[in-house]
Amino acid sequence: MPYEPPTHTVERSIRATTGAKIIAGVDEVGRGAWAGPVTVCAAVTGLRRPPAGLTDSKLISPKRRAELAEELEKWVTSHALGHASPEEIDELGMTAALRLAAIRALDALPVRPDAVILDGKHDYLGQPWRVRTVIKGDQSCIAVAAASVLAKVRRDAMMAELEAESEQYAVFGFGHNAGYPSPVHKAALREWGPTPYHRLSWAYLDALPQWRHLKKVRISAEAAELESGGQLGFDF
């Protein structure tokens, strides 16, 4: 399906209306996974023309995504990644974990951005950052699209490394499903139960009576609201 390539339109608007000079595009990956961290990338691109084919990472084949990530690492002005662990997700809830990962990414940039373009409609970053949220920003904004590709490729690699670490983790197929629900992942959970890399506060454990005792109770009201809304529950 043809798609419009991303542009610098939002970045130019922020520059014109706020005077910001350094603007970072921020995107996350791993929000809906059952295992592994949530990963956030902050990318600063300036106003240069991007590598051909740049768009939302989900619209790019794995092979091309990996190739594009290599190009982007050389092309972007700067970028950095931040992660929040499964334990932090269980303890804080997803919104706070996303903020933690995003702050880690932004703090790791060599120069602090004047403004941030955040993919989606919800500002999980907040003060003191100057944030512009953009729905489908990973398709429309060059800096956010770059961040989406870099975050996706790095997190997928982390999950593949985890699968290769031992036979215990290989049965979950993390190298193929990146910790998201899949038939292989679900079957392994039924047979072996969650690993130390699984999120233990999530609703999938409700469908596993033999492992339900491992479920952690979330502290934050925000996390409970997300789960009750069905975002985190999946049928086996």
Side-chain angles (χ1 to χ4, degrees):
M1 180 181 297
Y3 54 84
E4 292 293 324
T7 69
H8 290 300
T9 300
V10 175
E11 191 169 351
R12 292 182 188 278
S13 171
I14 294 173
R15 286 171 177 253
T17 56
T18 70
K21 295 182 179 180
I22 301 174
I23 301 173
V26 171
D27 198 16
E28 56 77 23
V29 64
R31 185 196 299 248
W34 290 358
V38 63
T39 296
V40 173
C41 180
V44 178
T45 66
L47 298 176
R48 294 169 297 139
R49 179 177 295 181
L54 178 63
T55 186
D56 173 11
S57 63
K58 296 185 292 296
L59 302 178
I60 307 172
S61 71
K63 181 176 183 296
R64 177 54 187 151
R65 203 161 50 218
E67 296 170 347
L68 190 55
E70 288 190 17
E71 296 177 44
L72 288 170
E73 287 182 357
K74 301 172 184 177
W75 175 80
V76 296
T77 303
S78 62
H79 78 285
L81 291 152
H83 311 278
S85 68
E87 294 85 358
E88 289 170 328
I89 294 169
D90 286 335
E91 179 181 355
L92 301 172
M94 182 52 73
T95 297
L98 278 171
R99 185 173 192 273
L100 180 62
I103 289 172
R104 286 170 174 166
L106 289 164
D107 283 347
L109 290 172
V111 179
R112 182 183 175 93
D114 302 312
V116 172
I117 304 172
L118 192 62
D119 181 51
K121 64 180 180 180
H122 175 57
D123 177 10
Y124 56 76
L125 191 56
Q127 296 295 328
W129 300 92
R130 179 186 291 169
V131 176
R132 173 81 63 87
T133 58
V134 179
I135 296 173
K136 294 187 177 180
D138 48 9
Q139 294 182 36
S140 61
C141 302
I142 287 173
V144 179
S148 78
V149 172
L150 290 166
K152 173 67 173 168
V153 169
R154 181 61 195 126
R155 186 181 181 279
D156 282 359
M158 291 171 64
M159 298 305 292
E161 290 163 8
L162 184 60
E163 177 176 326
E165 184 176 306
S166 72
E167 293 183 5
Q168 176 187 357
Y169 303 138
V171 297
F172 291 88
F174 291 149
H176 298 284
N177 59 49
Y180 286 83
S182 72
V184 168
H185 192 171
K186 292 177 179 181
L189 274 170
R190 283 194 295 267
E191 180 71 19
W192 303 104
T195 71
Y197 297 96
H198 278 87
R199 303 169 188 181
L200 298 181
S201 60
W202 284 37
Y204 69 83
L205 279 171
D206 293 336
L208 299 169
Q210 69 274 43
W211 307 111
R212 196 178 297 157
H213 64 283
L214 299 175
K215 187 174 181 181
K216 293 183 178 178
V217 177
R218 286 182 174 164
I219 296 174
S220 71
E222 169 271 330
E225 181 180 350
L226 280 178
E227 187 164 312
S228 66
Q231 178 174 335
L232 308 182
F234 300 86
D235 293 332
F236 278 78

